[in-house]
Amino acid sequence: MIEYEQAGEEVRAVYDDIMQTRQTDWINNFWKALAHDPATLKRTWQSIKEIMAPGTLDVLQKELIYLAVSVSNQCPYCIASHGAAAKRAGMTPEMFGELMAVVGMANETNRLASGYRVEIDERFKSASGF
Amino acid sequence: MIEYEQAGEEVRAVYDDIMQTRQTDWINNFWKALAHDPATLKRTWQSIKEIMAPGTLDVLQKELIYLAVSVSNQCPYCIASHGAAAKRAGMTPEMFGELMAVVGMANETNRLASGYRVEIDERFKSASGF
Amino acid sequence: MIEYEQAGEEVRAVYDDIMQTRQTDWINNFWKALAHDPATLKRTWQSIKEIMAPGTLDVLQKELIYLAVSVSNQCPYCIASHGAAAKRAGMTPEMFGELMAVVGMANETNRLASGYRVEIDERFKSASGF
Amino acid sequence: MIEYEQAGEEVRAVYDDIMQTRQTDWINNFWKALAHDPATLKRTWQSIKEIMAPGTLDVLQKELIYLAVSVSNQCPYCIASHGAAAKRAGMTPEMFGELMAVVGMANETNRLASGYRVEIDERFKSASGF
Amino acid sequence: MIEYEQAGEEVRAVYDDIMQTRQTDWINNFWKALAHDPATLKRTWQSIKEIMAPGTLDVLQKELIYLAVSVSNQCPYCIASHGAAAKRAGMTPEMFGELMAVVGMANETNRLASGYRVEIDERFKSASGF
Amino acid sequence: MIEYEQAGEEVRAVYDDIMQTRQTDWINNFWKALAHDPATLKRTWQSIKEIMAPGTLDVLQKELIYLAVSVSNQCPYCIASHGAAAKRAGMTPEMFGELMAVVGMANETNRLASGYRVEIDERFKSASGF
């Protein structure tokens, strides 16, 4: 992992932007690992910064979605880091419990729908596409 | 698929509850397929009814999470049906676009974290567990 | 897809063995697609033949497991073909319904266990390893 | 994790039912983690109790399917806990070896079928749907 | 889907860059769908353009990896589009057959390693991390 | 895990072939775990030996694909062992960085294509099938 002190200029610029954007004074291991490949570090940070900024969905809603996908994919690091991020954004234990219930149920019904080979209803073909 | 007219009493009771709860007058194919196994139909509906009721997360937030997991799992039926459900609950095209961006990015960084074998930061071990 | 008539000697030998082993007079599309790569066709068939032969698990138990994994992975072709195979091996509609319920629940609890970051119980560390 | 001694009445009732149903005198970590959300604890236990009860599939067959899905999803906790459960239900080392071989092969052929974009055979469309 | 003729200036600029970079005169459906969200269209294209440019891995190697992941994830659109891209970059039928064999085997052994709960060898802990 | 010294004749023959083929003097844990089921050990080794031998893809290309799938599936053991294998075959840190970038992007666009329900372009239907 590349610590701030050993980092080159390009990496330091990303670290500085991460800390400023998040209003923190430390860098978590994910970025320190990516720093071995400065191009990926920079591109990934810029994408996340753009995607996770408040839009028509607020920061909490975005972090809940990020956490839900990470739980569904069973990624231990991402569950830990985005669990912390969601908590910082306002997720309470009750909200986490409800999120987990939805993620569990979605994983169950995804398989029920696929296993029973359910055909898409006519109304859904038109209704859900924007 | 079991239509209302051919359905037995147990299945009809579930269909009636679905239509009343959702304030609609039709049953989508997922339930008609599950109706071949009345025990699973009943249990799945009761679980979904309980889980998707407004709580500390509102209906829109829950539908966004349900849709995000279904997209991540690439389940065509569930993307169509929960896309429609999220839209009914207030999801706009802009919100869908932002949801998709988060789901895509989470799937990318989940693999980056796993592939770089990033260790969980000490702070995340304590901070995110409730 | 490579039909029997166009097939070379090596492919025909596999097709003949498939039909003899399964006591059928036709080849399903999976094998006709693999036949573009005779080495993969041969190796895959020999592995499946060895793995799916009755052992301490009988053919029905093995087909139920094969189908359960295919449903969990949401592979449309495999759900159709191994659904048919399981049916041939004795799976009734009631058994299929119970299998689907277990597959759905396993997918739900797999995410609950991962999302809640449940530590493995001491007893399971020793008890379940053979 | 919520231990029996600290648990409220609702949680204790579930713990008691788990121990009675399974004829054991302890609760594994999965339930102690879920107990943070008593509604999910209760619903999940009731669903599992109903689904895993002997039906047209016996307990061993159901545990083999549960374990197979957990291995396929690569969930460490679930592999450990359902490995132990399957063993209790009668799974021998030989049966576990055969289960693993089927799970591995299913994961291989699921990708072969998808990657070669194999079309579903006409016969499978009718034959496997109940 | 947003066709070139209906596209706004921002979207057209991306379409133009795609066609120039790829030396083609048409836009495939993926981009036309993303164009509903110009920010995601632009970010995704710029990331792909940067990632897929020749580096220490050449274009064919990168397309083989892209295709392998898409097959493993069983994404029909991506298998079709990146199959075509890999072919354009020089993938022969023989190479595709070998790629498929590796993808299938990796999916099999990934589950064998997880299901047997194989511990990481000491030598791999040091040897494979850069 | 079955060490060489405790292994029976059948298992030793596989171990010997592994060491000779790979020109090493040790056996990694994966094979020692599989050795509990000699039939699976032998079949898996013979398949891998055949699949990973140089063909129209060379050993490095095959190891890159194997590693990419293992990262995408988030299998910790396989990432470690095939990371080491790819390194032995010539993968540099720069190549690993580029591989990771492609794997991450493929996982992102796989979900974008599925979530936007992008239809396969006519040209891809014909162009990419061999």
Side-chain angles (χ1 to χ4, degrees):
Chain A
M1 295 199 297
I2 312 287
E3 299 297 334
Y4 191 90
E5 291 68 30
Q6 350 153 224
E9 214 170 315
E10 198 182 353
V11 168
R12 276 196 188 191
V14 176
Y15 283 7
D16 287 335
D17 193 32
I18 291 173
M19 290 189 286
Q20 199 179 346
T21 304
R22 296 190 165 170
Q23 312 256 39
T24 59
D25 62 351
W26 67 294
I27 296 293
N28 56 303
N29 291 344
F30 178 70
W31 304 110
K32 292 182 191 165
L34 283 197
H36 285 283
D37 181 353
T40 293
L41 173 71
K42 195 174 169 187
R43 190 185 56 247
T44 306
W45 166 245
Q46 284 178 337
S47 293
I48 285 195
K49 188 181 174 184
E50 181 181 325
I51 289 168
M52 298 307 283
T56 58
L57 299 179
D58 62 29
V59 173
L60 175 59
Q61 285 172 314
K62 290 185 173 186
E63 284 293 354
L64 293 175
I65 291 168
Y66 214 120
L67 178 57
V69 170
S70 300
V71 168
S72 188
N73 284 339
Q74 303 181 301
C75 172
Y77 185 84
C78 314
I79 292 169
S81 63
H82 284 278
K87 218 176 148 185
R88 258 196 326 269
M91 181 178 74
T92 64
E94 287 71 31
M95 291 164 79
F96 178 65
E98 295 186 13
L99 175 147
M100 286 295 294
V102 177
V103 171
M105 185 51 52
N107 271 289
E108 177 171 351
T109 58
N110 283 192
R111 272 69 185 194
L112 291 177
S114 297
Y116 277 107
R117 297 191 261 167
V118 185
E119 274 188 61
I120 298 180
D121 306 73
E122 270 315 310
R123 306 193 198 200
F124 289 157
K125 286 182 185 162
S126 49
S128 60
F130 287 107
Chain B
M1 295 199 297
I2 312 287
E3 299 296 334
Y4 192 90
E5 292 68 30
Q6 348 152 225
E9 212 169 318
E10 198 183 354
V11 169
R12 277 196 187 190
V14 176
Y15 283 7
D16 287 336
D17 194 31
I18 291 173
M19 289 189 286
Q20 198 178 347
T21 305
R22 297 191 166 170
Q23 312 258 40
T24 59
D25 62 351
W26 67 294
I27 295 294
N28 56 303
N29 290 345
F30 178 70
W31 305 110
K32 291 182 191 166
L34 282 196
H36 286 283
D37 181 351
T40 293
L41 173 71
K42 196 176 169 186
R43 191 185 56 248
T44 306
W45 166 244
Q46 284 178 338
S47 293
I48 284 195
K49 188 182 174 183
E50 183 181 324
I51 289 169
M52 299 306 284
T56 57
L57 297 180
D58 61 30
V59 173
L60 175 58
Q61 284 172 315
K62 290 185 173 187
E63 285 293 353
L64 292 175
I65 291 168
Y66 215 120
L67 178 57
V69 171
S70 300
V71 168
S72 188
N73 284 338
Q74 304 181 299
C75 171
Y77 185 84
C78 314
I79 291 169
S81 62
H82 284 279
K87 217 176 147 184
R88 257 194 330 269
M91 181 178 73
T92 63
E94 287 72 29
M95 292 164 78
F96 178 65
E98 295 186 13
L99 175 146
M100 287 295 293
V102 177
V103 171
M105 185 51 53
N107 271 288
E108 178 170 350
T109 57
N110 282 191
R111 271 67 185 195
L112 291 177
S114 297
Y116 276 107
R117 299 191 262 166
V118 185
E119 272 188 61
I120 298 181
D121 306 71
E122 270 316 309
R123 306 195 197 199
F124 289 158
K125 287 182 185 162
S126 49
S128 60
F130 286 107
Chain C
M1 295 199 297
I2 311 287
E3 300 295 336
Y4 192 90
E5 290 69 29
Q6 348 154 225
E9 213 169 319
E10 198 181 354
V11 169
R12 276 196 187 190
V14 176
Y15 284 7
D16 286 336
D17 193 31
I18 290 174
M19 290 189 284
Q20 197 179 348
T21 304
R22 297 190 165 170
Q23 312 257 36
T24 59
D25 62 351
W26 67 293
I27 295 294
N28 57 302
N29 290 344
F30 178 70
W31 305 109
K32 291 183 191 165
L34 283 197
H36 286 283
D37 182 352
T40 293
L41 172 72
K42 195 175 169 187
R43 189 185 57 248
T44 306
W45 165 245
Q46 284 178 338
S47 293
I48 285 196
K49 188 181 174 183
E50 182 181 324
I51 289 169
M52 299 306 284
T56 58
L57 297 179
D58 61 31
V59 173
L60 175 59
Q61 284 172 314
K62 290 185 173 186
E63 285 293 354
L64 292 175
I65 291 168
Y66 214 121
L67 178 57
V69 171
S70 300
V71 168
S72 188
N73 284 338
Q74 303 182 298
C75 172
Y77 184 83
C78 314
I79 292 170
S81 62
H82 284 279
K87 218 176 148 184
R88 258 196 327 269
M91 181 178 74
T92 63
E94 287 71 30
M95 292 164 78
F96 178 65
E98 295 186 13
L99 174 147
M100 287 295 293
V102 177
V103 172
M105 185 51 53
N107 271 287
E108 177 170 351
T109 58
N110 281 192
R111 272 70 185 194
L112 292 176
S114 297
Y116 277 108
R117 297 191 263 167
V118 185
E119 272 188 62
I120 298 179
D121 306 73
E122 271 314 311
R123 304 194 199 200
F124 289 158
K125 286 181 185 163
S126 49
S128 60
F130 288 107
Chain D
M1 295 199 297
I2 312 288
E3 299 296 335
Y4 191 90
E5 291 68 31
Q6 349 153 224
E9 213 170 317
E10 198 181 353
V11 168
R12 277 196 187 190
V14 175
Y15 284 5
D16 286 336
D17 194 31
I18 291 173
M19 290 189 286
Q20 199 178 346
T21 304
R22 296 190 166 170
Q23 311 259 40
T24 59
D25 61 351
W26 67 295
I27 295 294
N28 57 301
N29 290 345
F30 178 71
W31 304 109
K32 292 183 190 164
L34 282 196
H36 285 281
D37 181 352
T40 293
L41 173 71
K42 196 175 170 186
R43 188 185 58 247
T44 306
W45 165 244
Q46 285 178 339
S47 293
I48 285 196
K49 188 182 174 183
E50 182 181 325
I51 288 168
M52 298 307 283
T56 57
L57 297 180
D58 61 30
V59 174
L60 174 58
Q61 284 172 315
K62 289 185 173 187
E63 285 293 353
L64 293 175
I65 292 168
Y66 214 121
L67 178 58
V69 170
S70 301
V71 168
S72 187
N73 284 338
Q74 302 181 303
C75 172
Y77 185 84
C78 314
I79 292 169
S81 63
H82 284 279
K87 217 176 147 185
R88 259 196 327 270
M91 181 178 72
T92 63
E94 287 71 31
M95 291 164 78
F96 178 64
E98 295 186 12
L99 175 147
M100 286 295 293
V102 176
V103 171
M105 185 52 51
N107 271 288
E108 177 171 351
T109 57
N110 282 192
R111 271 70 186 193
L112 292 177
S114 296
Y116 277 108
R117 298 192 261 166
V118 184
E119 274 189 60
I120 298 180
D121 306 73
E122 271 316 309
R123 306 195 198 198
F124 289 158
K125 286 181 185 162
S126 49
S128 60
F130 285 107
Chain E
M1 295 201 296
I2 312 288
E3 299 295 336
Y4 192 90
E5 291 69 29
Q6 347 154 224
E9 212 169 318
E10 200 182 353
V11 168
R12 276 195 188 193
V14 176
Y15 283 7
D16 286 336
D17 194 31
I18 291 173
M19 290 189 285
Q20 198 179 346
T21 304
R22 297 191 166 169
Q23 312 258 39
T24 59
D25 62 351
W26 67 294
I27 295 293
N28 56 302
N29 291 344
F30 178 71
W31 304 109
K32 292 183 190 165
L34 282 197
H36 286 282
D37 182 351
T40 293
L41 172 71
K42 195 175 169 187
R43 190 184 56 247
T44 307
W45 165 244
Q46 284 178 338
S47 293
I48 285 196
K49 188 181 173 183
E50 182 180 325
I51 289 168
M52 299 306 283
T56 57
L57 297 179
D58 61 31
V59 173
L60 174 59
Q61 284 172 315
K62 290 185 173 187
E63 285 293 353
L64 292 175
I65 291 168
Y66 215 121
L67 178 57
V69 170
S70 300
V71 167
S72 187
N73 284 338
Q74 302 181 302
C75 172
Y77 185 83
C78 315
I79 291 169
S81 62
H82 284 279
K87 217 175 148 185
R88 258 197 325 271
M91 181 179 73
T92 63
E94 287 71 31
M95 292 164 78
F96 178 64
E98 294 186 14
L99 174 147
M100 287 295 293
V102 177
V103 171
M105 184 52 51
N107 271 287
E108 177 170 350
T109 57
N110 282 192
R111 272 68 186 194
L112 291 176
S114 297
Y116 276 107
R117 298 191 260 167
V118 185
E119 273 188 62
I120 299 180
D121 306 72
E122 272 315 309
R123 304 194 199 200
F124 290 158
K125 286 181 185 162
S126 49
S128 60
F130 287 108
Chain F
M1 295 199 297
I2 312 287
E3 299 296 335
Y4 192 90
E5 291 67 30
Q6 350 154 223
E9 213 169 318
E10 198 181 354
V11 168
R12 277 196 186 190
V14 176
Y15 284 6
D16 286 336
D17 193 31
I18 291 173
M19 290 190 285
Q20 197 178 348
T21 304
R22 296 189 166 171
Q23 312 257 39
T24 59
D25 62 352
W26 67 294
I27 296 294
N28 57 303
N29 290 344
F30 179 70
W31 304 109
K32 292 183 191 164
L34 283 197
H36 286 281
D37 182 352
T40 293
L41 173 70
K42 196 175 169 186
R43 190 185 55 248
T44 306
W45 165 245
Q46 285 179 338
S47 293
I48 285 196
K49 187 181 173 184
E50 181 180 325
I51 290 168
M52 299 306 283
T56 58
L57 298 179
D58 61 31
V59 173
L60 174 59
Q61 284 172 314
K62 290 185 172 185
E63 285 294 353
L64 293 175
I65 292 168
Y66 214 120
L67 178 58
V69 170
S70 300
V71 167
S72 187
N73 285 339
Q74 303 181 300
C75 172
Y77 185 83
C78 314
I79 292 169
S81 62
H82 284 279
K87 218 177 148 185
R88 258 197 326 270
M91 181 177 74
T92 63
E94 287 71 31
M95 292 164 78
F96 178 65
E98 295 186 13
L99 175 148
M100 286 296 293
V102 176
V103 171
M105 185 51 52
N107 271 288
E108 177 170 351
T109 56
N110 283 191
R111 273 68 186 193
L112 292 177
S114 297
Y116 276 108
R117 297 191 263 166
V118 184
E119 273 187 61
I120 298 180
D121 306 72
E122 270 316 310
R123 305 193 199 201
F124 289 158
K125 286 181 185 163
S126 49
S128 61
F130 286 108

